[in-house]
Amino acid sequence: MMRAIRLTVVLASATLVLGACRKKPVVAPKPDVAPTAQPEPTRPTNTPPAARDTMEEYRTKLAATRARLLETIYFEYDADELRDDAKANLDAKIAVLNANPAVRIRIAGHCDERGSDEYNIALGRRRAEAAKRYLIDRGVDAARVETASFGRERPAVQGTTEDAWARNRRDEFEIVAGGDQLRAQ
């Protein structure tokens, strides 16, 4: 028994000695440095292709692209032939449509108040179809362009002056699909 007590004392002493000799972990001192600036967050993955543009510049370009696509074209009195300024306007729309294949539009033909309802509905239809035909002849898929006619029922300007009538002889454009995917030009 004496031997068991002596062995227990030796083991306990050895444990205490070895435990006391164990090295304490070294903690590195914290340097006294000013915090560094955090890098700017990266742009989300759906940012515009031109990385040099800021988001505000891109929004401005997107608004201009949308406005170009929605810009009205005008016609001469009792005519459905496209004027030169209307062709230039449609050419700008073609560029937007080619860059945005998911976008579909509606062209609505309008007339001034002169003429019968039936005549103005037919004239408005011919005006919308003239613009559609111009787009299709230049490569826009016909399935992406709808037409409608409102005749004289939705005047842009009230009045019986030549200026009011000229502003009412028009084709208006509306985005009917894909507008949320529109990319800036």
Side-chain angles (χ1 to χ4, degrees):
M1 167 128 147
M2 206 45 159
R3 198 172 171 180
I5 294 176
R6 210 183 291 168
L7 184 60
T8 305
V9 171
V10 170
L11 285 176
S13 299
T15 304
L16 289 174
V17 170
L18 290 176
C21 292
R22 184 173 50 119
K23 287 187 173 183
K24 294 182 183 176
V26 179
V27 178
K30 293 183 181 178
D32 292 336
V33 238
T36 58
Q38 295 294 323
E40 268 190 46
T42 59
R43 290 184 176 185
T45 57
N46 61 352
T47 56
R52 69 183 184 280
D53 292 340
T54 65
M55 288 305 288
E56 188 57 37
E57 288 170 335
Y58 182 72
R59 285 186 192 107
T60 300
K61 285 182 180 180
L62 185 60
T65 299
R66 184 176 294 277
R68 189 174 311 122
L69 194 56
L70 300 178
E71 190 174 348
T72 302
I73 63 172
Y74 296 94
F75 293 85
E76 296 299 326
Y77 173 69
D78 198 27
D80 58 14
E81 293 86 26
L82 297 170
R83 304 182 331 189
D84 289 339
D85 61 329
K87 290 177 182 178
N89 183 308
L90 290 169
D91 288 336
K93 292 178 191 320
I94 291 169
V96 173
L97 290 168
N98 286 339
N100 295 280
V103 172
R104 291 183 40 234
I105 61 171
R106 177 180 303 124
I107 305 170
H110 298 269
C111 302
D112 61 33
E113 64 184 18
R114 299 171 288 180
S116 69
D117 287 342
E118 296 81 16
Y119 180 80
N120 282 334
I121 290 291
L123 180 57
R125 167 98 34 223
R126 290 194 312 271
R127 287 175 174 170
E129 290 294 329
K132 178 179 180 175
R133 191 171 39 258
Y134 187 88
L135 296 173
I136 292 168
D137 288 348
R138 282 148 188 84
V140 176
D141 183 8
R144 296 175 60 200
V145 184
E146 302 173 11
T147 59
S149 176
F150 294 104
R152 63 181 179 181
E153 298 304 313
R154 297 184 181 180
V157 177
Q158 296 294 328
T160 56
T161 65
E162 184 53 45
D163 183 53
W165 291 330
R167 293 169 135 266
N168 289 330
R169 297 188 302 258
R170 70 197 189 279
D171 276 348
E172 290 181 335
F173 296 80
E174 175 186 0
I175 299 171
V176 294
D180 55 338
Q181 300 169 5
L182 190 64
R183 292 188 316 246
Q185 294 288 291

